[in-house]
C-alpha cells in the first residue's frame, strides 16, 4: 500500500508537471534551454538603427539605381510594365485575342533598335535573314522556324510579341532578357524583314523603281 501511494504521488506530480499548466498564461519568461532565434539583431523598417552611419534602417537606393518599372512612352500615352494592357500583353484587353498592330509608333530609330536587338537575340537561331538558318541550325537543331513562312508572316503583331516574350513549343521566351519596348521594336523589325521578301514592285516608291530594274 505504501508503495502504491508513493507511485500514485509520483505519477500525479509527473503528469501535472508535464501537462498540468499547459495553456496557462504567465508574465514570467519561459525557461529557455535552446533560444533558437527568438531574439536577434534585425532591421525594422522606419525605425532608427545604429548599423548604418545615417542611423536609419530603411536605406535609400544607391545613386544610379535603375528602376525595374520605368514608364514607357507609347505615342502620347505612358505605360508601366506592370500594367495589364495591349502594350504589355500583346492582347486586346479582357480577351485572349492578339492585337493586330504594334502599339508603338514606328520610326526609323525604332526599327534600327529592333534590328540591333534582333541581330543580338534572334539571329543566332533564326538567321540575320529570318530564314531559320542561323549558326545554331548548323549544329543540328532542325526545327528552327523560318520567319518568312506564310503561317508566321500572317500572324498579328501581338502574337509575335507573345512568342518573343514567352516562347512557343521548343523556343523559349525572352521576357526576362528583352524589355517590352525592345520586344515591340523586334516585332517591327521582323515585319520589315518579312516585307522585304513578299513586297512587290508596287510597294517601292515610284521614283526608286527604276533603280531596282537596273
Ligand atoms: C535558341 C534558338 C532561338 C532563338 C534565340 C529564338 N528563336 Fe524563335 N524559334 C526557335 C525555334 C526552334 C522555333 C520553332 C518552335 C517550334 O515550332 O517548335 C521558333 C519559332 C519562332 C516563331 C514562330 C512561332 C510560331 O507561331 O510557330 C517566331 C515568330 C519566332 N521564333 C521569333 C523569334 C524572335 C523574334 C526571336 C528573337 C527575340 C527568336 N525567335 C529567338 C528558336 C529560337
Amino acid at each position: 500500500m505504501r508503495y502504491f501511494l508513493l507511485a500514485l504521488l509520483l505519477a500525479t506530480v509527473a503528469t501535472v508537471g508535464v501537462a498540468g499548466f499547459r495553456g496557462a498564461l504567465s508574465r514570467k519568461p519561459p525557461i529557455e534551454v535552446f533560444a533558437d532565434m527568438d531574439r536577434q539583431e534585425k532591421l525594422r523598417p522606419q525605425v532608427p538603427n545604429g548599423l548604418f552611419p545615417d542611423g536609419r534602417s530603411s536605406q535609400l537606393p544607391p545613386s544610379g539605381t535603375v528602376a525595374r518599372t520605368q514608364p514607357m512612352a507609347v505615342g502620347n500615352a505612358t505605360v508601366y510594365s506592370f500594367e495589364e494592357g495591349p502594350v504589355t500583353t500583346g492582347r486586346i484587353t479582357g480577351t485572349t485575342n492578339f492585337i493586330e498592330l504594334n502599339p508603338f509608333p514606328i520610326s526609323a530609330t525604332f526599327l534600327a533598335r529592333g534590328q540591333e536587338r534582333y541581330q543580338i537575340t534572334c539571329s543566332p537561331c533564326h538567321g540575320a535573314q529570318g530564314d531559320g538558318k542561323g549558326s545554331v541550325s548548323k549544329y543540328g537543331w532542325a526545327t528552327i522556324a523560318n520567319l518568312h513562312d506564310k503561317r508566321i508572316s500572317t500572324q498579328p503583331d501581338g502574337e509575335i510579341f507573345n512568342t518573343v516574350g514567352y516562347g512557343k513549343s521548343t523556343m523559349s521566351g525572352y521576357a526576362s532578357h528583352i524589355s517590352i519596348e525592345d520586344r515591340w521594336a523586334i516585332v517591327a523589325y521582323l515585319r520589315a524583314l518579312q516585307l522585304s521578301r513578299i513586297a512587290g514592285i508596287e510597294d517601292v516608291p515610284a521614283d526608286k523603281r527604276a533603280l531596282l530594274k537596273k
Side-chain angles (χ1 to χ4, degrees), residues 106-177:
I106 312 296
S107 63
T109 29
F110 194 63
L111 278 177
R113 174 79 184 168
Q115 177 178 34
E116 185 204 37
R117 296 293 111 183
Y118 175 91
Q119 282 168 356
I120 292 170
T121 317
C122 321
S123 73
C125 290
H126 291 287
Q129 315 252 331
D131 51 13
K133 300 202 179 88
S135 48
V136 167
S137 69
K138 300 195 180 78
Y139 296 93
W141 194 351
T143 57
I144 300 173
N146 174 353
L147 301 178
H148 297 289
D149 271 355
K150 192 158 183 231
R151 186 181 64 77
I152 297 169
S153 57
T154 50
Q155 283 176 355
D157 283 357
E159 188 166 359
I160 309 260
F161 172 81
N162 188 69
T163 303
V164 175
Y166 305 104
K168 184 95 171 233
S169 41
T170 51
M171 172 180 151
S172 53
Y174 293 90
S176 58
H177 304 39

Side-chain angles (χ1 to χ4, degrees), residues 8 32 35 41 44 52 54 68 80 96 139 150 155 160 166 173 176 179 186 192 199 207 211:
L8 185 69
E32 240 171 17
E41 293 291 325
R44 289 186 189 275
F52 294 106
D54 65 358
R68 281 185 64 99
Y80 286 88
T96 52
Y139 296 93
K150 192 158 183 231
Q155 283 176 355
I160 309 260
Y166 305 104
S176 58
S179 71
I186 289 175
D207 55 328
L211 282 171

Side-chain angles (χ1 to χ4, degrees), residues 11-213:
T12 313
V13 168
T15 313
V16 172
V18 171
F21 297 103
R22 280 169 60 110
L25 298 179
S26 163
R27 291 196 170 273
K28 288 191 206 128
I31 300 163
E32 240 171 17
V33 183
F34 300 107
D36 294 335
M37 294 179 77
D38 287 351
R39 274 161 299 287
Q40 49 186 288
E41 293 291 325
K42 66 180 151 213
L43 300 172
R44 289 186 189 275
Q46 314 291 350
V47 165
N49 194 296
L51 186 62
F52 294 106
D54 65 358
R56 299 189 230 189
S57 57
S58 304
Q59 295 292 294
L60 296 171
S63 66
T65 303
V66 178
R68 281 185 64 99
T69 50
Q70 297 278 30
M72 290 174 277
V74 185
N76 294 325
T78 303
V79 178
Y80 286 88
S81 57
F82 53 78
E83 282 172 344
E84 203 165 311
V87 177
T88 54
T89 62
R91 295 173 198 266
I92 300 166
T93 312
T95 73
T96 52
N97 297 344
F98 292 113
I99 54 171
E100 206 57 47
L101 291 177
N102 201 318
F104 280 86
I106 312 296
S107 63
T109 29
F110 194 63
L111 278 177
R113 174 79 184 168
Q115 177 178 34
E116 185 204 37
R117 296 293 111 183
Y118 175 91
Q119 282 168 356
I120 292 170
T121 317
C122 321
S123 73
C125 290
H126 291 287
Q129 315 252 331
D131 51 13
K133 300 202 179 88
S135 48
V136 167
S137 69
K138 300 195 180 78
Y139 296 93
W141 194 351
T143 57
I144 300 173
N146 174 353
L147 301 178
H148 297 289
D149 271 355
K150 192 158 183 231
R151 186 181 64 77
I152 297 169
S153 57
T154 50
Q155 283 176 355
D157 283 357
E159 188 166 359
I160 309 260
F161 172 81
N162 188 69
T163 303
V164 175
Y166 305 104
K168 184 95 171 233
S169 41
T170 51
M171 172 180 151
S172 53
Y174 293 90
S176 58
H177 304 39
I178 314 175
S179 71
I180 289 174
E181 189 167 356
D182 282 348
R183 275 178 255 159
W184 283 115
I186 289 175
V187 172
Y189 176 68
L190 182 55
R191 286 314 189 200
L193 207 58
Q194 289 168 334
L195 190 62
S196 72
R197 289 277 174 102
I198 52 178
I201 190 73
E202 62 287 348
D203 294 310
V204 182
D207 55 328
K208 298 267 162 56
R209 282 179 200 171
L211 282 171
L212 281 177
K213 283 190 180 138

